[in-house]
Amino acid sequence: MTTRRVLLAAACSAALFLPGSLTAQVDTTTRRDTTTRRPRATSQQRLRVQKGEAGGTIDLRADSLAAVERTRVDSINVAMQRQRDLAAAADRARSDSLAAIERARADSVARVDAFRRDSVARSDSIAAAEAAHRREMARFRFGGNGWYMGLGAGASAPTNDFKNLGYNSGLNVHVPIGWHRNNSALGVRFDLGYSRFSGQTFTGTRPVGSANTIDNPNPSVFSATANVTLATPLSLLRNVRLYGVGGAGVYHFRSFGGGSALGGYLGNDVLQTNENKNKSTRNKFGAQAGAGLDWTVGTSSVYVESRFVNVFANRDDGVAFRDFFGDRGNSLRWVPIVLGVKLR
């Protein structure tokens, strides 16, 4: 094989060299006068090269054509292989794209289905909550819309001048009627009240030689007031609210006796010998303010409340009043403390 390669290389060199020499020789032997304008002779003889020791010849043109053909075939094969590779890559890319699209579609369907399930569950939850709320509201006596009515009882303790006139603590009855939603801070309330005090003996200051002692009967006070409530929840106890209340209204005094110390304080002339000329009932304007605790139990609540009541006597003080009662204020004050139940 080595010898053959050497011979082939020598033949190729000779083939590259010989045509020029032959052409030169032919040109010198066959050249004619250019004035005759005859065509130049060319050689059509195929060159043959000796193979060496083995003998024989090599057809250089055939080998060249074969090499070119092999190169062409190899190029075609490479191009076809590249085309197949590109087709395979395009097919893989198409498959990957289709798979990605399918995954995206499946994810979208899954999200839509999950959203639908969540929506249905949320709707069912809302419907169940509304049904439970309606059942809960049906338990309330006033529909659970914030209205309530209560009843409480306790004691009323006179203070300051009211106590010094000879009156002690007595019964108090409280009927609140109001509106106050659980999620609202402000509310309104209308109070009906009844207080009865225990009358004692009062000793007044009279001219020397005159009686100065009065036996006071047990007076009653009916009241009707309009109030505003302000509530705030307590975080220490469940369902417990601290609230404030304040308002004003009318206080009706009766059964106090025309010649009693309370009668004189409200405007009667206790020095009159004819007691029938004095009024036996009085209506006075007053105001109140207080606070309480409201503990919700189911649809009702238990409350404890205390208020400060101030009633304006609105009387004309004369010399006789000051001589008998001394220097007094112009208000009657007491403090009721009640425990009760509110129905909602």
Side-chain angles (χ1 to χ4, degrees), residues 206-255:
R206 293 279 303 257
V208 179
S210 302
N212 56 5
T213 299
I214 295 178
D215 291 328
N216 294 317
N218 298 330
S220 299
V221 182
F222 294 88
S223 62
T225 60
N227 303 277
V228 176
T229 58
L230 176 64
T232 177
L234 290 179
S235 59
L236 299 179
L237 298 175
R238 185 180 181 183
N239 298 331
V240 174
R241 292 193 303 174
L242 172 67
Y243 65 90
V245 58
V250 177
Y251 293 82
H252 175 71
F253 293 83
R254 61 185 303 141
S255 304

Side-chain angles (χ1 to χ4, degrees), residues 72-117:
R72 186 182 68 82
V73 171
D74 292 341
S75 300
I76 292 173
N77 291 335
V78 170
M80 293 179 64
Q81 182 62 38
R82 181 173 301 176
Q83 184 177 6
R84 287 193 294 272
D85 293 342
L86 291 175
D91 188 64
R92 286 194 301 272
R94 184 179 63 83
S95 300
D96 293 341
S97 298
L98 292 177
I101 293 172
E102 181 62 23
R103 286 195 300 271
R105 187 190 67 81
D107 293 342
S108 299
V109 171
R111 285 194 295 269
V112 170
D113 189 60
F115 179 78
R116 182 185 61 80
R117 289 196 302 270

Side-chain angles (χ1 to χ4, degrees), residues 2-342:
T2 304
T3 304
R4 186 176 179 179
R5 289 179 180 177
V6 171
L7 291 175
L8 181 60
C12 291
S13 300
L16 295 175
F17 174 76
L18 289 176
S21 300
L22 292 176
T23 302
Q25 292 177 2
V26 171
D27 289 341
T28 55
T29 57
T30 61
R31 185 184 303 270
R32 293 184 181 182
D33 191 359
T34 56
T35 58
T36 61
R37 299 188 178 188
R38 292 181 177 181
R40 180 181 300 176
T42 58
S43 177
Q44 299 296 326
Q45 184 179 1
R46 178 176 297 179
L47 299 178
R48 298 184 179 274
V49 179
Q50 296 294 330
K51 293 185 178 180
E53 295 112 357
T57 61
I58 298 175
D59 191 346
L60 296 179
R61 198 171 85 181
D63 292 342
S64 299
L65 293 176
V68 169
E69 180 65 18
R70 285 194 300 273
T71 302
R72 186 182 68 82
V73 171
D74 292 341
S75 300
I76 292 173
N77 291 335
V78 170
M80 293 179 64
Q81 182 62 38
R82 181 173 301 176
Q83 184 177 6
R84 287 193 294 272
D85 293 342
L86 291 175
D91 188 64
R92 286 194 301 272
R94 184 179 63 83
S95 300
D96 293 341
S97 298
L98 292 177
I101 293 172
E102 181 62 23
R103 286 195 300 271
R105 187 190 67 81
D107 293 342
S108 299
V109 171
R111 285 194 295 269
V112 170
D113 189 60
F115 179 78
R116 182 185 61 80
R117 289 196 302 270
D118 293 342
S119 299
V120 172
R122 186 164 55 250
S123 299
D124 293 342
S125 177
I126 292 173
E130 289 178 350
H133 180 70
R134 286 193 297 269
R135 290 193 299 271
E136 182 67 18
M137 292 300 101
R139 298 172 53 202
F140 287 88
R141 292 164 180 81
F142 296 97
N145 54 10
W147 287 99
Y148 63 90
M149 183 175 67
L151 177 64
S156 290
T159 63
N160 300 331
D161 284 342
F162 197 5
K163 181 176 180 64
N164 294 333
L165 291 174
Y167 295 91
N168 292 331
S169 300
L171 175 67
N172 179 267
V173 178
H174 180 230
V175 180
I177 302 172
W179 178 87
H180 200 140
R181 287 187 179 273
N182 290 331
N183 58 352
S184 176
L186 290 175
V188 294
R189 195 175 83 181
F190 183 71
D191 287 354
L192 298 176
Y194 169 78
S195 295
R196 184 175 177 84
F197 300 96
S198 176
Q200 305 297 320
T201 300
F202 171 75
T203 301
T205 304
R206 293 279 303 257
V208 179
S210 302
N212 56 5
T213 299
I214 295 178
D215 291 328
N216 294 317
N218 298 330
S220 299
V221 182
F222 294 88
S223 62
T225 60
N227 303 277
V228 176
T229 58
L230 176 64
T232 177
L234 290 179
S235 59
L236 299 179
L237 298 175
R238 185 180 181 183
N239 298 331
V240 174
R241 292 193 303 174
L242 172 67
Y243 65 90
V245 58
V250 177
Y251 293 82
H252 175 71
F253 293 83
R254 61 185 303 141
S255 304
F256 53 83
S260 66
L262 180 57
Y265 201 85
L266 294 176
N268 287 345
D269 186 359
V270 297
L271 300 179
Q272 284 283 344
T273 57
N274 187 0
E275 188 175 335
N276 293 330
K277 293 183 179 180
N278 291 327
K279 293 183 179 180
S280 58
T281 62
R282 291 279 186 176
N283 294 321
K284 299 295 181 179
F285 178 79
Q288 64 174 6
L293 282 175
D294 194 294
W295 178 32
T296 301
V297 181
T299 59
S300 303
S301 62
V302 178
Y303 75 98
V304 58
E305 180 179 308
S306 179
R307 286 164 283 123
F308 178 79
V309 180
N310 185 90
V311 177
F312 303 102
N314 192 24
R315 65 172 188 275
D316 294 328
D317 287 347
V319 176
F321 178 85
R322 289 193 297 272
D323 287 343
F324 186 78
F325 290 101
D327 292 330
R328 301 287 179 179
N330 202 25
S331 296
L332 287 171
R333 297 170 180 170
W334 65 90
V335 177
I337 301 175
V338 296
L339 175 66
V341 176
K342 294 177 184 176

